[in-house]
Amino acid sequence: MAQAEGGAGEDSAGGGRESGDPQAAADGDAPEAAAPAASAPDGAAAGDAGGDGAAQPSEAEAELAAQRYERERIARRKAERQAPVEAGGKLSGRAADLLAAVRAVESGKPAPAYFDDAPAVPRRTAPQAPAARAPEPAPQPPRPRPEAAAPAAPPAERVEAVRAVLARGGAPAELAAPAAAALGEDAAGQLAEDPWRLLAVAGVRPSQADGFARALLGPGAGPADERRAAALVGWLLEQAALKGHTALEAAALEAALAGYGVPAPAEALGQAIAEGLVLVFHEPVAESAARAAQPADPEADADAGQPVRVLVGLEGHALAEESLADGLARLTGTFTGEGAAAWDPSTAGAGAELVRAAAAHGLVVHTGGEAARAEPLALAAAAREHGLRTCLAAHAPAPGAVTVAGLLAGAEGPERDADGRFALDLLVVLDAPQLDVETAAALVESVPDGARLVLSGDPAVLGSAGPGRVFADVLAARVCPQVASRVPDPGPIGELVSGIGIGELNQVDAPGREVVIVPVRDAGEAVHRTVQLVAESVPRAFGIGADGVQVITPGHGGSAGTRALNAALKERLNPGPGRFGGFDPGDRVVHVPSPGRAVPARVVSADAAGLHLDAAGARVVVPKELVESRVRHGWAVTAHQAVGARWPAVVVVLPGDAVPALSRDWVYTAFGRAERHLSVVHGVDQALPRAVAEVLPKPRTTRLAGLLRGLAAAAQEQPQ
């Protein structure tokens, strides 16, 4: 890194660990939920109050509904391809595998079949190569669309019935609306019969549900209650999903159950599987990993079979992962490559290798840093010149691209055909590491047979906010061509970030003060220096206005988290009383319409309809009841919110209490958001280079790589 510059009045910046919400930063930056109400007597849970809303669904709900529709259609298509099981007949296929696995888990014996043994990929007749068409114009800017009204509240009578049950258990009345919404019909009856169903409400923890159960059921509501164990299994898997897992190893889940006092965790897990609350999968373990896990035994039984690991997951994540694997296999299986020789990659420059790969294959993975983004852009231009209907999609708003969320919601990009597929021949997805498994499944299922899909991104950045590691799993499966860009990120910032990617925090020569360090002693000084850098130093030294400077810190809380920094920056840059729910016209904000999405915007006004925002020229109206949960000030953001975007100048704030949140991928992502200048407000001493060298990204347990390998092997074995 660049040498630190001393003096409080200097334009220097330092790097260090941040303060703030380490857990929130470690688990991903989903939109911050409202703080739970104070704990009730007997440990009853606290949670968010539900607001009244109109019947029209929100943008996030519309997107999720579209994804659910796609997954249901996939499930129906799968069911149609499988022979029905007649009443009284023997189970076969996946049903037989499920029954065998359930019995295996209950008995502790290996299952005779693996769930991840995928059927052979059916050969489909590829569509005719599209006739040459006039070049398609570049994508137009996103069509502005106001945010929809709040989601419809559950019926008042259902809420009142739930509130009565909560009152009997001493739980806060504010939980009534979210519990009624989460549990659906007969929510009150479900809670009265099984108080641990309260764990289905976001923010409720096992200790709180235990207190509620004791108040309702009396002393008999102990740790051994089967209802408690079943609820804990689902809750633990939901918590794992918040950390990116789509499944958990059975042994890890049993250990977690034991940690919550379940006396017979293996039996409890087996019961949950038998009742269909969760699904079990047996995934073959790679031979090299198996040998590393246990010493070689020359006298081992040769017929012992391939070693497996037992995974347990929720049905929704399992369906999404299998649908995604099927969709990717479908694209590779229906692509013919006709006309590939007619492509001329010579005009693509550094992107020629990617053009050649995409011309000849239905699925291609492209990796590289920020400078490498020019290569998929060149591919899109070449495809349009060849007459292909082409779409570029990105996680965050980007020039020449639609957003993935807007594409799925139908607000941006091509129309869909009668089968619900996009009317296109090539889809290029930038920022592919940000795809969670459900978004990726809906996206891939929407790509038509015979079309091309290119997944492009930097594998070193932070992963998706939702469950799954789609990009990494596709890379690990090695079922399609992989094109690694050779274009390095330029300048001192590029050199610094490239070193971080391999675990080295190097000194870089920055003659133009592209990288500077500001050492600070405490969080208060970090906030003061950050405001000084944004408002004075960077604009004066580099001619970059305050609007072109983005502050990044690991967490929302703490004395130098986004809340504290945004409060100080607002006071300096746009002071006001916050008369619109804490906001004033001109405030720089982040709009979070759904988890994992952070859209920069600016406050325009407010009225009875809600808070009016300007998001890159598109007017967005956030209903007043959603402002608190979906809008926050945006002068300072977390690295998870910043991923996919870049700014002329970035100030990374790392106060002393940020050490637990730092990792190599976090530092790589935060530092890489800067284009011309990077200031690092450094208060963590040697913890920063130690995190870069030693703290690797947190692993995620997923099944996609194994599913893809199984499908590829089945396709190779299928008769031609």
Side-chain angles (χ1 to χ4, degrees):
M1 296 178 63
Q3 294 291 338
E5 299 184 13
E10 300 292 328
D11 299 332
S12 51
R17 302 196 175 220
E18 87 181 287
S19 69
D21 262 333
Q23 188 64 42
D27 292 349
D29 289 316
E32 183 185 19
S39 295
D42 299 321
D48 302 336
D52 296 333
Q56 187 178 7
S58 69
E59 178 182 349
E61 284 197 330
E63 179 181 335
L64 292 175
Q67 294 180 16
R68 284 196 299 271
Y69 169 78
E70 293 296 336
R71 292 198 299 273
E72 289 169 1
R73 189 159 65 87
I74 297 166
R76 289 196 299 270
R77 285 172 49 190
K78 284 185 177 180
E80 291 170 358
R81 294 199 299 263
Q82 295 178 353
V85 179
E86 296 181 357
K90 290 186 176 180
L91 292 176
S92 62
R94 305 284 278 189
D97 292 345
L98 175 59
L99 181 59
V102 168
R103 291 173 176 169
V105 171
E106 291 177 312
S107 64
K109 298 177 182 179
Y114 305 140
F115 283 109
D116 293 340
D117 288 342
V121 181
R123 290 284 183 181
R124 297 179 175 88
T125 302
Q128 295 294 324
R133 289 180 287 271
E136 183 179 337
Q140 298 300 311
R143 299 186 285 272
R145 185 179 67 170
E147 178 166 314
E157 57 272 17
R158 186 195 305 171
V159 175
E160 287 304 318
V162 171
R163 184 176 287 114
V165 177
L166 293 175
R168 286 164 45 201
E174 290 82 359
L175 282 175
L183 298 178
E185 296 290 339
D186 193 30
Q190 293 181 56
L191 280 177
E193 182 179 348
D194 183 358
W196 287 282
R197 292 281 289 150
L198 195 64
L199 285 172
V201 180
V204 175
R205 300 194 59 81
S207 59
Q208 298 167 322
D210 286 341
F212 177 64
R214 285 194 299 271
L216 277 184
L217 305 178
D225 195 298
E226 292 182 356
R227 294 167 293 182
R228 178 178 185 268
L232 280 174
V233 169
W235 181 83
L236 287 168
L237 288 172
E238 291 287 2
Q239 297 304 303
L242 295 177
K243 296 177 174 63
H245 306 282
T246 59
L248 287 179
E249 292 196 24
L253 192 52
E254 290 173 7
L257 289 170
Y260 280 101
V262 176
E267 288 79 357
L269 179 57
Q271 184 65 25
I273 294 169
E275 293 178 358
L277 302 178
V278 295
L279 300 180
V280 63
F281 310 94
H282 286 70
E283 182 177 87
V285 177
E287 293 183 5
S288 58
R291 285 195 297 268
Q294 59 186 23
D297 182 3
E299 299 181 358
D301 184 2
D303 297 328
Q306 186 178 15
V308 300
R309 64 171 182 167
V310 181
L311 300 178
V312 180
L314 297 172
E315 181 180 7
H317 299 148
L319 176 60
E321 223 157 13
E322 292 176 3
S323 299
L324 175 56
D326 286 346
L328 293 173
R330 172 179 59 83
L331 293 180
T332 58
T334 60
F335 180 76
T336 63
E338 294 182 10
W343 285 53
D344 181 10
S346 62
T347 60
E353 184 180 359
L354 179 59
V355 169
R356 282 191 293 268
H361 298 86
L363 176 64
V364 177
V365 177
H366 172 256
T367 61
E370 291 297 329
R373 291 171 73 96
E375 296 179 8
L377 296 178
L379 166 64
R384 292 192 182 102
E385 291 178 2
H386 192 61
L388 299 185
R389 300 167 297 174
T390 302
C391 179
L392 275 164
H395 172 69
V402 302
T403 62
V404 170
L407 179 62
L408 287 174
E412 308 172 50
E415 302 295 332
R416 293 179 183 260
D417 61 21
D419 294 328
R421 301 274 173 79
F422 296 134
L424 53 73
D425 305 304
L426 169 64
L427 175 62
V428 181
V429 180
L430 306 175
D431 310 318
Q434 302 311 304
L435 290 175
D436 62 80
V437 67
E438 294 197 349
T439 300
L443 191 68
V444 171
E445 177 61 20
S446 299
V447 179
D449 289 0
R452 297 170 170 90
L453 173 65
V454 174
L455 301 176
S456 177
D458 188 342
V461 300
L462 288 164
S464 63
R469 53 192 298 271
V470 173
F471 192 67
D473 280 343
V474 175
L475 282 169
R478 297 189 176 278
V479 294
C480 66
Q482 299 182 10
V483 179
S485 173
R486 297 178 178 84
V487 180
D489 289 335
I493 297 176
E495 181 183 351
L496 174 64
V497 173
S498 296
I500 293 171
I502 60 174
E504 299 175 357
L505 189 65
N506 299 318
Q507 288 272 10
V508 296
D509 184 18
R513 303 177 73 186
E514 294 87 351
V515 181
V516 294
I517 304 171
V518 179
V520 294
R521 294 181 298 272
D522 53 39
E525 186 181 2
V527 173
H528 171 75
R529 294 307 309 274
T530 299
V531 174
Q532 184 183 56
L533 285 163
V534 174
E536 301 174 8
S537 302
V538 172
R540 183 175 66 245
F542 301 99
I544 300 172
D547 285 348
V549 184
Q550 182 63 59
V551 178
I552 299 177
T553 192
H556 296 300
S559 51
T562 62
R563 298 189 196 96
L565 288 166
N566 276 317
L569 288 163
K570 174 176 170 54
E571 182 178 356
R572 177 65 181 273
L573 299 174
N574 193 44
R579 58 184 180 274
F580 301 150
F583 301 97
D584 294 295
D587 275 0
R588 186 169 162 183
V589 298
V590 170
H591 175 219
V592 185
S594 61
R597 292 184 60 202
V599 182
R602 193 169 293 276
V603 175
V604 177
S605 62
D607 54 25
L611 190 66
H612 293 251
L613 307 178
D614 184 323
R619 183 62 62 91
V620 177
V621 181
V622 183
K624 58 183 179 180
E625 60 267 25
L626 298 179
V627 169
E628 183 178 359
S629 62
R630 294 192 179 181
V631 182
R632 66 171 71 231
H633 285 105
W635 289 284
V637 299
T638 66
H640 287 84
Q641 292 177 320
V643 69
R646 300 190 83 198
W647 292 269
V650 167
V651 178
V652 177
V653 184
L654 303 174
D657 58 356
V659 172
L662 292 186
S663 61
R664 181 185 301 174
D665 55 340
W666 193 96
V667 179
Y668 182 94
T669 302
F671 286 18
R673 299 312 93 203
E675 294 176 339
R676 294 172 48 194
H677 173 75
L678 171 66
S679 288
V680 185
V681 179
H682 195 313
V684 293
D685 298 326
Q686 293 305 307
L688 179 60
R690 191 160 53 246
V692 169
E694 301 173 6
V695 184
L696 300 178
K698 291 181 173 63
R700 298 185 178 191
T701 303
T702 61
R703 302 171 48 237
L704 180 60
L707 289 169
L708 289 172
R709 283 191 288 262
L711 287 169
Q716 291 176 356
E717 295 173 359
Q718 185 176 9
Q720 299 297 321

